[in-house]
Amino acid sequence: MLFADRADAGRRLAEAVAPLAHSDPVVLGLPRGGVPVACPVARELGAPLDVIVVRKLGVPHRPELGFGAIGEDGVRVVSDDIVRRAGVSASEMAAVERAEEAELLRRARAFRGDRPRVPLRGRTVILVDDGIATGATALAACAVARAQGAAHVVLAVPVAAPSAVARLREEADEVVCLSAPAGFAAVGEWYRDFGQTPDEEVVALLARAARRSGEPAREVRVEAGGVVLPGTLTPAGDAGALVVFAHGSGSSRHSPRNRAVAAALNRAGLGTLLFDLLTADEEAEGGHVFDISTLATRLVDAVRRVRELSAGPVGVFGASTGAAAALQAAALAGADRATGIGAVVSRGGRPDLAGTRLHEVRSPTLLLVGGRDTEVLELNRRALAELRCESRLDVVPGATHLFEEPGTLDEVADRARAWFLTHLAREGSAR
């Protein structure tokens, strides 16, 4: 397989990783040559683009042999086994780390400027390079991404040496490689144009991607019901509205399913707030997930907090017991677009747990249930009969409770997006 240039390689690689679009990914290019490849990948997935700046820590008398790697935010990965076998002293390690840390900081500032690093915690991270010969830098990048909190690490490259691919499969959760030719000698021989990528091109590509994606997600603290809860806020885009996610039993703001739905809403111009309805201690105790009244009260407070940060209408997406909390919160807050909850979507929810509050809900409500989730489907049918607002029950064929079957979560995201755009978005936007 021969690539015209790095942009061509990126377009072809984007097709191969397209199924990851609904996993709420972050795309990280290894500078410098990996960034022009990563750019079309991020664009195709609708994902944020950043660089992963890593520096290999080389054994002083054998610099090609790495005893570890460092990344931003003080991330440090060291192989004690290599340190011991190579006889690297503590003072030698410290000297290498000081030199590499200075270069790492210089490169990070040069490439990213004053933009914050895209947070990786709990996310699917796709590491992209233009090709891999030995795999040493890619191995370091995988380790650093994992140390920075990545939940799932995917290494994606157009071409690589077969031996390197085998090594990398041990570190990455997935390796996507378009070509691993037996006669591999160098990355450049598999490109017609393999000119050097200057720093200025990397800076321009990252700046352009940042403008396209708008304001990035940021970690926030949400004061609700007398406690402070962590959350991830992505501001509203063109649609002008924001959706608060109410997670269900045994779930959190890191839920890959809810993050995938949130990413689809973000691509449509909707903002999102994913936050934990319970503190860590409450989660550990277990019983609080069925205290729907407390969860609903916290959700109402969170909606009020969101209105201080975003002027547009607010909806709520609830899953499992979080759906009951969403419906009770809608009953408490009202359906007014300016002050209440403008729309509700339930995924595999337990609306029956909202009890008598179902009669008081006035917010347009969409119930999404898997066709094979028979018990929950029956509970939703009964709840639908109790609702006095605009409401609809959509059954996703072939889906079980967690919507793990291929294509079923995509269907949830599509229907949720349409519902929120219809009931929340600015007239004519993002439709």
Side-chain angles (χ1 to χ4, degrees):
M1 183 177 290
L2 190 64
F3 304 99
D5 53 21
R6 291 182 177 89
D8 173 50
R11 287 189 291 270
R12 294 204 233 175
L13 195 59
E15 295 178 7
V17 298
L20 294 169
H22 292 285
S23 64
D24 187 29
V26 176
V27 177
L28 303 180
L30 278 75
R32 292 183 295 263
V35 175
V37 182
C39 210
V41 173
R43 187 167 54 246
E44 177 65 26
L45 298 182
L49 174 67
D50 201 353
V51 285
I52 182 162
V53 185
V54 299
R55 297 294 295 175
K56 183 177 74 172
L57 302 175
V59 173
H61 51 282
R62 291 179 60 193
E64 75 283 356
L65 175 62
F67 67 81
I70 58 172
E72 295 177 83
D73 291 346
V75 170
R76 178 177 180 269
V77 181
V78 172
S79 170
D80 293 332
D81 183 54
I82 293 177
V83 168
R84 184 175 57 256
R85 287 191 287 110
V88 184
S89 68
S91 60
E92 288 175 325
M93 288 175 62
V96 171
E97 287 187 45
R98 280 195 301 271
E100 294 299 344
E101 184 175 9
E103 179 61 14
L104 181 141
L105 294 174
R106 185 196 70 80
R107 288 194 174 203
R109 282 194 298 266
F111 294 139
R112 199 180 289 118
D114 59 358
R115 290 189 304 276
R117 181 170 58 82
V118 176
L120 306 186
R121 185 160 302 280
R123 306 285 292 273
T124 293
V125 174
I126 305 175
L127 303 173
V128 178
D129 206 352
D130 54 10
I132 294 174
T134 66
T137 302
L139 280 169
C142 289
V144 168
R146 206 176 295 284
Q148 289 175 341
H152 191 75
V153 176
V154 180
L155 182 68
V157 292
V159 62
S163 58
V165 172
R167 289 177 62 205
L168 290 162
R169 290 193 193 281
E170 298 176 4
E171 183 64 37
D173 296 304
E174 291 183 56
V175 175
V176 178
C177 179
L178 301 184
S179 179
F184 184 96
V187 173
E189 66 181 343
W190 303 99
Y191 286 82
R192 292 193 183 94
D193 178 0
F194 196 65
Q196 286 196 354
T197 303
D199 284 0
E200 294 76 15
E201 181 180 352
V202 173
V203 171
L205 289 172
L206 292 171
R208 193 179 309 146
R211 288 194 299 270
R212 185 175 63 246
S213 61
E215 191 176 345
R218 65 180 188 269
E219 298 303 305
V220 296
R221 311 292 287 180
V222 180
E223 294 183 21
V227 296
V228 178
L229 302 163
T232 303
L233 175 70
T234 300
D238 292 340
L242 190 142
V243 176
V244 177
F245 278 68
H247 306 292
S249 54
S251 187
S252 74
R253 70 190 188 284
H254 298 307
S255 159
R257 285 174 290 277
N258 281 349
R259 280 188 172 274
V261 174
L265 301 186
N266 296 151
R267 289 193 290 272
L270 291 158
T272 52
L273 171 66
L274 296 102
F275 81 110
D276 296 342
L277 281 168
L278 298 174
T279 66
D281 288 343
E282 290 169 339
E283 282 278 4
E285 290 174 18
H288 296 276
V289 295
F290 291 99
D291 185 355
I292 305 302
S293 296
T294 296
L295 300 182
T297 299
R298 291 180 182 180
L299 196 50
V300 170
D301 287 348
V303 169
R304 289 185 185 130
R305 172 62 176 149
V306 162
R307 291 196 179 281
E308 298 172 7
L309 305 171
S310 178
V314 176
V316 178
F317 182 97
S320 190
T321 53
L327 288 164
Q328 276 207 14
L332 292 169
D336 188 279
R337 282 166 53 97
T339 58
I341 293 174
V344 174
V345 173
S346 162
R347 171 184 65 82
R350 290 289 309 276
D352 56 297
L353 295 177
T356 57
R357 290 285 188 183
L358 282 174
H359 294 280
E360 302 170 32
V361 176
R362 296 295 177 264
S363 307
T365 297
L366 174 65
L367 307 175
L368 295 170
V369 186
R372 293 166 58 192
D373 191 9
T374 53
E375 184 177 347
V376 171
L377 179 56
E378 180 57 30
L379 293 172
N380 274 257
R381 285 181 174 136
R382 294 176 190 170
L384 182 69
E386 298 289 324
L387 288 168
R388 299 293 179 264
C389 57
E390 178 186 349
S391 55
R392 193 175 81 212
L393 171 62
D394 282 5
V395 179
V396 179
T400 52
H401 186 61
L402 295 180
F403 296 88
E404 295 174 305
E405 296 73 23
T408 57
L409 192 60
D410 297 351
E411 189 71 21
V412 167
D414 289 344
R415 298 189 190 200
R417 179 178 58 237
W419 190 263
F420 285 128
L421 289 176
T422 297
H423 295 286
L424 299 179
R426 295 188 184 115
E427 193 65 32
S429 69
R431 298 196 185 187

